[in-house]
Amino acid sequence: MSDVSINSAIREDEASFGDFFALLKPRVMTLVVFTAFVGLLAAPVPVHPMVGFCAILFIALGGGASGALNMWWDEDIDRVMKRTRKRPIPSGKVTASDTLAIGLALSVLSVTMLTLATNVMAGAMLAFTIFFYVVVYSMWLKRLTPQNIVIGGAAGAFPPVIGWLAATGSMAVEPWLMFAIVFMWTPPHFWALALFMRNDYDDAGVPMLTVTHGRRATRQHILVYTVLLAVLALGAAFSAIGGPIYLAISVVVNLMFLRGAIRIWRRDEDASEADNFAVERAFFRLSLWYLFVHFGAILIEALLRPYGMGGWG
């Protein structure tokens, strides 16, 4: 082997900035940032732009810290699952020890800086969120119970609450409505994915509902949670964070979501296998937009409210 080929092989094995960034789960971070941003702006108090920028930055770093610590803990199952085997640790780009160090450092940095930039309540909620995602969900529930996604979904639902606390420093009903929407959205979103990725969870020994109770039960659960989600999302339209614009958008999106859930519920496995789970994949893609559309509607209402056009006033 020539020196050029050796050097090329070495460069291919070295971690790049992109590999380290991937540890932070940037796709998940996008949702964290957006929902936290909406929670920040939906709060009934003005926030200085610099304070707001710092708050979102440190919430994003906290979300990234959670992602890195999750990858460190799940190294063994990530190597088995097709969906995750190209992540930085299984692919050999980044070591588990480096990932742990990055996750811990970002956790301390994000919580400390958010507390200093905003208030103690926001920092404490971010610390609890990281703990919940890493310890309660990743280390405990994920490999223990088919309700892992249901209970663990709370971790992804805290960002709008953190954003609200960063702005106000106090609790209210409205951020918990946003929390509830994300919380109820999480199970049908992940169960739809599990329907066409079941072999991954089988191979990794993760007790997803599709593994422990079968696909028929999973389809029923998706429909039930989608109905409950629709009731909650539409009900939020009549709260302080809602309004006519939100209501109109929510009605359309939830009708589409309910239609998808009913189609999934009516399907049998032969039909799903025949078209490679086309209906389930379409529902999953729609679920990716569901939260962004709803929180975008909340954001529109919040931005219009100072001009007397948002909400029901």
Side-chain angles (χ1 to χ4, degrees):
M1 183 179 288
S2 66
D3 290 343
V4 174
S5 61
I6 292 175
N7 291 335
S8 298
I10 292 174
R11 284 195 297 270
E12 288 177 359
D13 290 338
E14 290 178 347
S16 64
F17 173 80
D19 295 317
F20 286 106
F21 186 62
L23 292 174
L24 310 184
K25 293 190 174 182
R27 291 183 181 179
V28 177
M29 189 189 295
T30 301
L31 180 61
V32 168
V33 168
F34 184 60
T35 56
F37 179 70
V38 173
L40 185 80
L41 290 189
V45 295
V47 178
H48 190 281
M50 182 55 66
V51 174
F53 171 79
C54 290
I56 298 304
L57 173 62
F58 299 133
I59 292 171
L61 288 180
S66 299
L69 292 172
N70 171 263
M71 286 196 189
W72 161 73
W73 182 259
D74 280 349
E75 174 192 2
D76 56 335
I77 62 176
D78 281 351
R79 294 183 186 278
V80 176
M81 299 175 66
K82 293 179 181 178
R83 187 171 62 89
T84 57
R85 63 178 53 163
K86 292 184 179 180
R87 285 177 173 176
I89 299 178
S91 64
K93 298 291 186 179
V94 182
T95 65
S97 58
D98 286 344
T99 302
L100 175 60
I102 291 170
L104 292 175
L106 287 179
S107 296
V108 174
L109 175 66
S110 61
V111 171
T112 301
M113 295 306 296
L114 181 65
T115 301
L116 294 174
T118 59
N119 55 73
V120 173
M121 288 193 69
M125 185 61 75
L126 179 60
F128 177 75
T129 301
I130 296 172
F131 170 82
F132 194 94
Y133 184 71
V134 176
V135 178
V136 177
Y137 170 66
S138 300
M139 295 184 177
W140 179 32
L141 295 174
K142 185 172 183 178
R143 308 188 193 205
L144 179 67
T145 170
Q147 296 301 309
N148 47 18
I149 287 301
V150 178
I151 306 170
F158 282 119
V161 179
I162 302 172
W164 183 285
L165 287 175
T168 66
S170 61
M171 291 291 189
V173 173
E174 290 79 10
W176 292 108
L177 281 175
M178 291 184 275
F179 169 95
I181 292 172
V182 182
F183 180 79
M184 292 301 296
W185 162 88
T186 303
H189 166 73
F190 277 102
W191 284 334
L193 173 66
L195 282 173
F196 58 87
M197 297 291 289
R198 178 182 171 181
N199 291 340
D200 260 10
Y201 295 108
D202 278 331
D203 296 340
V206 177
M208 191 64 75
L209 192 65
T210 48
V211 178
T212 60
H213 290 68
R215 291 179 179 174
R216 181 71 258 158
T218 303
R219 295 176 187 279
Q220 294 168 351
H221 278 69
I222 288 175
L223 178 59
V224 170
Y225 272 85
T226 301
V227 170
L228 295 174
L229 172 62
V231 172
L232 177 64
L234 291 171
F238 303 98
S239 71
I241 59 174
I245 296 174
Y246 172 92
L247 178 61
I249 293 173
S250 184
V251 167
V252 173
V253 175
N254 279 286
L255 284 175
M256 295 172 63
F257 213 49
L258 282 168
R259 177 177 176 269
I262 292 171
R263 292 181 67 194
I264 287 177
W265 173 65
R266 288 177 173 173
R267 301 258 285 178
D268 58 33
E269 298 314 309
D270 290 337
S272 298
E273 295 284 356
D275 62 10
N276 193 27
F277 297 91
V279 172
E280 292 80 359
R281 293 176 187 273
F283 181 86
F284 176 74
R285 288 193 297 269
L286 178 60
S287 74
L288 295 173
W289 288 100
Y290 184 96
L291 283 186
F292 283 103
V293 172
H294 275 82
F295 275 80
I298 294 173
L299 180 61
I300 292 172
E301 295 283 3
L303 293 176
L304 291 176
R305 197 164 287 118
Y307 304 98
M309 295 183 288
W312 298 101

